[in-house]
Amino acid sequence: MSELPKTLEDAIVQARAATEAALADGYTRLQVELLFPELKALPAAQQFLPAFDEYGDKLKIFFADAGSAALARRDWDEVPFQLLDIGTGRMTSIQSKVQPEDEIFLFVQPSSVEVPQLEKLCEIIGEQRPFVMFAPRLEDSSIVGIGYAARQTRQRFINTIESCYYLRPIFEEAAVFRCYPGLWEVWVEKNGDYEKVAELPNKPSGDELDAIISGGDSQAEGETVAATGKSVFRGLQRFVRALRS
C-alpha cells in the first residue's frame, strides 16, 4: 500500500515503481499524471528515466515540440537513446520516427495540440510495444480551442490509456491518488492531517469527488470508505507550495 508522497521526488520514485509493475503485468499504454500546473516537466522526466534503464538505446523519447527536445539534449547528461519531437508537420514524416528496433517509447508532456500526430505515432507503434505518457496535458481544454469532433477523437484516444500513477492535489484540502496496482484513493485534510477517506476501482467523477470531500452520503459504486486514523503524511500543503515556487 502506497502513502501519499511528501515531495515531488517521492512521487517520481512511486511513479517509476508503478510503471515498472504495470509493464511487467502486460500493460502497453500507460500514463503518469502529476497534475500541477507549475510542474517543470523536463527535470521531472529526467528523474523518471531510471524506470527504463533495462531498455538502453531501445528507448525512444518524444517531446511536444522541437524546442523541448533541444532543451533536453542540452540539459540532460549524455544518454544512449534518441530525443525527438512529436512534430505538427506532415503526417508522412511521422512514419520515419518509429523504427523496428525501438522497443519502448516515452512521451514527455504531450498536449491536446499534438493529439492527431500522437495518435498516428501510437498506431505505428502498435499494440505490442509499450509507451508511457509522462505528465500529459491531453485533457486540458485551455490549451487550444477544438470542436466537438476533435474532442471526441481526443477522448477516444485517452480512454485507451491506463493511468498507472495519478496525483492531483485539490486546493490543498484534498488529493486524488492512484499508484498501480492500487485502487483510486481520495485523501482529505482533517485538523491539519491528511486521511484516506475513500478507495474506488475507477477514477472518481467530479460529482463523486464532491460528495466524498464534503462527507455526503452519496457514494460511488464500489466505493469503500476507509476507517483510517491520522495519516503519517503531513506535508501535502508544503509539497504543493514547493512545486509552485
Side-chain angles (χ1 to χ4, degrees):
M1 181 179 66
S2 298
E3 295 283 348
L4 278 172
K6 294 184 175 69
T7 65
L8 177 60
E9 288 73 21
D10 289 345
I12 293 174
V13 169
Q14 289 179 337
R16 291 202 307 253
T19 301
E20 291 166 358
L23 289 171
D25 284 345
Y27 285 92
T28 59
R29 293 186 164 213
L30 298 171
Q31 59 185 353
V32 170
E33 298 183 86
L34 300 168
L35 299 179
F36 309 108
E38 298 84 0
L39 178 72
K40 297 177 180 178
L42 283 183
Q46 186 178 18
Q47 295 177 51
F48 183 67
L49 290 179
F52 306 99
D53 280 348
E54 67 179 279
Y55 294 95
D57 62 1
K58 304 301 182 183
L59 167 68
K60 183 167 284 184
I61 300 182
F62 287 95
F63 298 86
D65 53 61
S68 297
L71 284 174
R73 294 189 195 102
R74 185 196 70 183
D75 295 342
W76 292 8
D77 294 333
E78 185 174 342
V79 294
F81 38 77
Q82 287 185 274
L83 306 175
L84 304 176
D85 65 282
I86 295 172
T88 56
R90 296 173 58 187
M91 288 291 186
T92 53
S93 67
I94 292 178
Q95 183 77 41
S96 63
K97 294 188 176 185
V98 177
Q99 298 300 320
E101 61 270 21
D102 299 330
E103 292 184 1
I104 191 167
F105 304 83
L106 176 66
F107 295 91
V108 177
Q109 207 172 38
S111 75
S112 55
V113 175
E114 296 86 38
V115 165
Q117 290 76 18
L118 187 60
E119 190 169 27
K120 181 62 176 178
L121 275 170
C122 293
E123 288 175 2
I124 297 169
I125 291 169
E127 299 293 334
Q128 301 304 313
R129 292 185 287 182
F131 67 75
V132 180
M133 307 278 180
F134 183 84
R137 294 294 183 263
L138 303 181
E139 298 186 85
D140 188 350
S141 59
S142 68
I143 294 177
V144 60
I146 59 177
Y148 176 78
R151 288 198 303 271
Q152 292 295 101
T153 297
R154 181 182 63 181
Q155 194 60 46
R156 184 187 69 244
F157 176 65
I158 292 170
N159 288 342
T160 68
I161 306 172
E162 175 78 11
S163 287
C164 61
Y165 191 84
Y166 184 100
L167 179 58
R168 176 192 169 199
I170 303 171
F171 299 111
E172 299 190 359
E173 69 179 29
V176 180
F177 178 62
R178 198 266 170 125
C179 184
Y180 182 89
L183 297 173
W184 291 81
E185 302 173 355
V186 180
W187 294 66
V188 174
E189 189 274 333
K190 294 185 178 181
N191 301 319
D193 292 323
Y194 280 82
E195 300 178 9
K196 182 170 65 175
V197 297
E199 292 184 335
L200 304 97
N202 299 302
K203 180 181 175 181
S205 67
D207 289 343
E208 292 167 347
L209 193 55
D210 287 344
I212 293 168
I213 292 175
S214 65
D217 294 331
S218 175
Q219 295 181 4
E221 180 180 353
E223 177 186 336
T224 302
V225 178
T228 60
K230 290 186 176 180
S231 168
V232 298
F233 180 79
R234 296 173 181 269
L236 183 58
Q237 291 179 339
R238 292 189 298 274
F239 172 41
V240 174
R241 286 196 292 269
L243 289 172
R244 293 173 178 167
S245 63

